[in-house]
Amino acid sequence: APANSAAPADSTNEYIGGREDVAPVDGIAPAGLCSALVLVGAYDRQTGCPVLGVINEPFFCRDPLTRRWRGRYHWGVAYRDTRLCSLSP
C-alpha cells in the first residue's frame, strides 16, 4: 500500500502480511498475526444499543510442537434483562 494510505482498522493488513515476529507490549500484541481480530456484533435497530457481540482471535497462540495456530473467542449478550458473557466478571 502507498505510504500515505491508512491501514485498515480490522487487522486485515496484519493477517495478509502474516507477521509473527512482533513481540507483545504489556501483554497486548500491537501488530502481526496475534493482533488480528474478527468482531461480529448486532444491535437493536430501534434503540441503537448493542445486544450481541463475538470476538474471534484466530491466531491466539501457536503450538510449539505442531506449529499450528490455536484460536479463541469471546462472546457477550445484553438483551432486556439478560446479561451473559464468556468472560469471568
Side-chain angles (χ1 to χ4, degrees), residues 6-66:
D10 64 357
S11 297
T12 303
N13 194 43
E14 284 81 356
Y15 174 74
I16 291 170
R19 294 183 54 200
E20 300 177 41
D21 60 340
V22 182
V25 176
D26 295 326
I28 298 173
L33 285 177
C34 288
S35 71
L37 300 172
V38 178
L39 168 64
V40 176
Y43 66 95
D44 184 317
R45 290 178 65 179
Q46 291 180 339
T47 66
C49 293
V51 294
L52 168 71
V54 178
I55 297 174
N56 181 27
E57 294 180 85
F59 306 105
F60 173 63
C61 64
R62 194 166 200 176
D63 186 302
L65 298 175
T66 65

